[in-house]
Amino acid sequence: LVFPSVAGSKAQMICDGILPIDQMRDYITPIRLLCSRLTADAFLQAYGLRLRTAEERADDPEAPEPARELLMAHAISRGFMTATKGGPDESRSARIILKDLVNAKLLCCTPPPNENGADAAALNDGSSQSRNEDGRDAAVRRKQPSAPTAERYLHKMKQDFDAQDGTGACFSGRKGTAALGSLRGVQWRGA
């Protein structure tokens, strides 16, 4: 028997759960595919992350792409930072988000061919709510953030960078921890 190839790319196979998520090397391509499949409202309901709209993204020419903004916002909200540079750990966030997709925490519906796509679009938007036995909404309502999470982080980083006049060293610590002039106990900060 010969089976036709259904998956088009490696990113699609990762999103469909065919390839293992923990062994992927390129994490941005599956997240781009996921962002094209789901709306920003799905990420707001699942994680409480408010992403920028297309109009807000058009106003800011330095805005990151939606996939990178999603990863940065998720990493910042969970406190995932890289050890080397102290920025958001996007690869860890990508693995968690993709595992949530495969384990059905994020709902992505694709209608069969020759069917009306309105039902699947309604499910992907999260507009149809499931109910418990007692009649309450099963989805937990989250408080909507006032500003997009990644936008606040990028704005703060830009302010910190602009506030730097120069670099200098401050010697601090307990007595005897560092000799004057040595690099031990030195904190680098703007003068």
Side-chain angles (χ1 to χ4, degrees), residues 27-67:
Y27 59 87
I28 197 72
T29 311
I31 296 295
R32 276 189 195 127
L33 181 63
L34 181 62
C35 286
S36 68
R37 288 181 179 179
L38 296 177
T39 63
D41 189 46
F43 299 115
L44 178 64
Q45 287 181 354
Y47 302 112
L49 302 175
R50 183 178 164 273
L51 302 176
R52 297 183 205 190
T53 62
E55 294 83 26
E56 292 172 340
R57 194 168 274 111
D59 291 342
D60 187 9
E62 296 176 2
E65 63 176 314

Side-chain angles (χ1 to χ4, degrees), residues 53-111:
T53 62
E55 294 83 26
E56 292 172 340
R57 194 168 274 111
D59 291 342
D60 187 9
E62 296 176 2
E65 63 176 314
R68 190 154 310 267
E69 182 181 1
L70 169 67
L71 293 176
M72 287 172 44
H74 184 267
I76 291 166
S77 69
R78 300 288 167 98
F80 300 151
M81 297 296 188
T82 58
T84 56
K85 296 185 180 181
D89 192 356
E90 296 175 0
S91 65
R92 185 174 176 190
S93 290
R95 292 176 202 289
I96 290 172
I97 290 171
L98 290 172
K99 285 180 183 179
D100 287 346
L101 175 70
V102 171
N103 294 329
K105 183 177 177 184
L106 287 172
L107 184 61
C108 180
C109 298
T110 306

